[in-house]
Amino acid sequence: MKLSLGPILTYWPRQRIFDFYDEMASQPVDIVYLGETVCSRRHEFRFDDWMNVATRLATAGKQVVMSTLTLIESESDLKMLRKIASNGSFVVEANDMGAVRLLAEAKLPFVAGPTLNVFNSETLGVLKEAGATRWVMPPEIGAEMLKDLLADTPAGFETEVFVHGRLPLAYSARCFTARRFNLQKDSCEFRCIDYPDGMVLKTREGEDFLTLNGTQTQSAKVYNLMLEWSGLCAMGVAVARISPQAQDTTKVIGLFRRCLEGTLTPLAAWQALRETQADDLCNGFWYGRSGLEQVMTA
């Protein structure tokens, strides 16, 4: 199994992004996804910046994948999509069907992203025929559904599973971070850059409930499938995806790598992760239960 680092989902300052990927160049991940997938108004990094980072990571031996926006809302979004699709150097992760169409028409291989809503083998077949070589499982899918899908997955079609990070739950044309400050989306003042891990939303009882990340809503708890590692390997999952976070991403990667290499048991790795991770962990979706639950199996 390979380890991948997903795209940064929150909004970080320009230099922080450069510094982060300078550090990631020496980390034991095999695949790195780059690009803005949440909000087209985020412009700390431009296309050329992403390409420069991609080249540096590729030189460091990483497989680089350029990710596209999840919601395409304007002609400028389409222009950027076309630019990413025709970058000429790196594979693209398609996160909406418009990107799939562009890549299929150009006869370019691509990764089918987690927001394409793949829930049956027929959809997998359509995506493979369009040129997809790997699909990323929507994180709300559980183990039983994944087993059924893997049984019908076309030969040579890799499966990637989200194994660590705040769950991306929903996307909207509205910006909820802007709304929190009584601002319009088009004049949001880029308030989300002040929340490198998103803004936690609490219930009336004071419990962490959701995380606001601009137009994206995430879970408050951190989804983690460390305890399910042996099952993932037995299923034949090809890639395990870790979502970047503002702190301790290198520690998370290191624990997963040691688990993959067999130098640390999944339980020991999970316990070490709990000491590192400030937020509560969860894995409920994997067992077909409420997403915020933590099911102990080891």
Side-chain angles (χ1 to χ4, degrees):
M1 189 186 297
K2 295 179 180 180
L3 290 182
S4 73
L5 184 70
I8 298 171
L9 298 179
T10 45
Y11 195 28
W12 296 354
R14 177 183 173 82
Q15 191 57 50
R16 184 170 192 168
I17 299 173
F18 274 122
D19 293 343
F20 177 78
Y21 286 115
D22 280 345
E23 185 177 19
M24 291 303 106
S26 61
Q27 294 304 304
V29 290
D30 306 290
I31 305 166
V32 180
Y33 290 81
L34 298 176
E36 178 57 50
T37 64
V38 176
C39 178
S40 60
R41 284 180 52 78
R42 296 175 175 178
H43 292 312
E44 286 287 302
F45 247 49
R46 303 285 181 168
F47 177 77
D48 289 344
D49 295 322
W50 288 119
M51 290 298 289
N52 288 337
V53 169
T55 300
R56 290 157 65 183
L57 288 170
T59 301
K62 311 301 182 188
Q63 177 190 341
V64 176
V65 181
M66 304 298 291
S67 296
T68 70
L69 271 175
T70 297
L71 293 178
I72 304 296
E73 301 181 77
S74 66
E75 180 58 38
S76 61
D77 292 351
L78 282 171
K79 183 178 179 180
M80 178 57 68
L81 174 58
R82 296 185 190 105
K83 188 177 287 190
I84 294 171
S86 61
N87 76 83
S89 299
F90 303 105
V91 173
V92 174
E93 177 188 55
N95 284 311
D96 88 311
M97 291 306 294
V100 171
R101 183 181 68 82
L102 280 177
L103 294 161
E105 289 178 349
K107 300 188 183 305
L108 293 172
F110 64 91
V111 176
T115 53
L116 293 183
N117 295 327
V118 178
F119 295 105
N120 56 65
S121 57
E122 288 78 8
T123 304
L124 284 176
V126 168
L127 290 170
K128 187 175 189 301
E129 185 176 348
T133 59
R134 180 166 70 244
W135 72 292
V136 186
M137 183 191 85
E140 63 267 31
I141 286 182
E144 290 305 314
M145 182 179 287
L146 179 59
K147 286 178 183 177
D148 293 339
L149 284 170
L150 286 172
D152 294 328
T153 298
F157 199 27
E158 292 185 331
T159 297
E160 182 169 346
V161 173
F162 186 100
V163 297
H164 182 86
R166 288 183 178 82
L167 288 162
L169 298 174
Y171 294 81
S172 173
R174 278 188 167 186
C175 176
F176 296 107
T177 304
R179 189 173 178 82
R180 162 63 179 80
F181 294 100
N182 296 317
L183 298 168
Q184 296 296 317
K185 180 182 177 181
D186 291 341
S187 56
C188 65
E189 299 178 6
F190 304 101
R191 290 296 185 93
C192 55
I193 205 167
D194 297 327
Y195 301 90
D197 272 327
M199 179 189 296
V200 176
L201 180 68
K202 296 181 180 292
T203 64
R204 289 184 176 180
E205 292 73 28
E207 297 180 0
D208 292 350
F209 177 48
L210 297 170
T211 299
L212 301 182
N213 176 36
T215 59
Q216 182 191 62
T217 302
Q218 301 176 343
S219 62
K221 293 186 178 183
V222 173
Y223 192 66
N224 180 269
L225 295 183
M226 187 78 77
L227 293 176
E228 290 67 39
W229 190 256
S230 298
L232 290 167
C233 293
M235 284 182 185
V237 171
V239 182
R241 177 180 291 204
I242 297 166
S243 188
Q245 54 192 42
Q247 303 293 332
D248 297 322
T249 299
T250 56
K251 293 181 181 178
V252 173
I253 292 170
L255 288 170
F256 271 97
R257 175 56 65 180
R258 291 181 64 189
C259 193
L260 177 60
E261 294 173 346
T263 59
L264 201 62
T265 66
L267 179 57
W270 184 83
Q271 290 171 335
L273 185 64
R274 286 196 67 187
E275 297 174 3
T276 297
Q277 188 70 52
D279 301 287
D280 290 338
L281 301 177
C282 64
N283 62 1
F285 280 155
W286 187 250
Y287 295 95
R289 297 167 65 167
S290 299
L292 52 71
E293 292 187 38
Q294 174 62 51
V295 180
M296 298 300 299
T297 59

